[in-house]
């Protein structure tokens, strides 16, 4: 990312899927800092990584939009603007 002058958006598909826990924080922080200058889209199944992205986004003052794909009565593959249930805080889970 640092070798290109282009500030177009970037998309990552499970960027930590083959990395161990020691690398998650560094990758999450790097992506959040990159999001200060361009759009960064991250697809992940890793809830711990997702929560790190959220934590660092808040610390760094970077806006974010949470979405996840779920199965609803209308069909599968429905994109909703919220976190998956497993990623919600206890307070968030009790509100459902």
């Amino acid at each position: 990312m640092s070798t290109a002058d282009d500030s177009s958006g970037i998309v990552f598909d499970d960027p930590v899927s083959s990395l161990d826990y020691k690398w998650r924080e560094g990758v999450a922080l790097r992506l959040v800092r990159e999001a200060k200058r361009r759009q960064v889209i991250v697809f992940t199944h890793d809830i711990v990584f997702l929560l790190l992205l959220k934590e660092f986004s808040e610390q760094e003052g970077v806006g974010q939009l949470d979405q996840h794909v779920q199965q609803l009565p209308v069909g599968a593959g429905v994109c909703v603007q919220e976190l998956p249930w497993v990623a919600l805080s206890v307070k968030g889970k009790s509100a459902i």
Side-chain angles (χ1 to χ4, degrees):
M1 293 184 292
S2 62
T3 61
D5 293 331
D6 189 356
S7 62
S8 60
I10 50 177
V11 179
F12 292 92
D13 184 11
D14 258 335
V16 295
S17 64
S18 59
L19 299 176
D20 66 19
Y21 71 94
K22 296 176 186 177
W23 289 92
R24 280 186 187 144
E25 282 190 33
V27 172
L29 184 57
R30 177 66 177 96
L31 292 178
V32 167
R33 288 184 174 161
E34 189 63 28
K36 289 181 177 182
R37 47 182 236 99
R38 70 170 84 199
Q39 182 181 31
V40 176
I41 299 171
V42 179
F43 295 96
T44 187
H45 294 94
D46 187 325
I47 298 300
V48 173
F49 182 64
L50 170 64
L51 295 176
L52 284 170
L53 288 169
K54 291 185 65 54
E55 178 183 334
F56 290 139
S57 292
E58 188 175 314
Q59 288 175 9
E60 298 283 324
V62 174
Q64 60 183 10
L65 174 66
D66 297 316
Q67 295 189 339
H68 82 278
V69 179
Q70 66 179 27
Q71 183 170 349
L72 297 175
V74 296
V78 178
C79 191
V80 294
Q81 289 191 14
E82 59 190 30
L83 289 172
W85 189 84
V86 296
L88 293 175
S89 65
V90 172
K91 183 178 178 181
K93 288 178 182 175
S94 64
I96 294 177

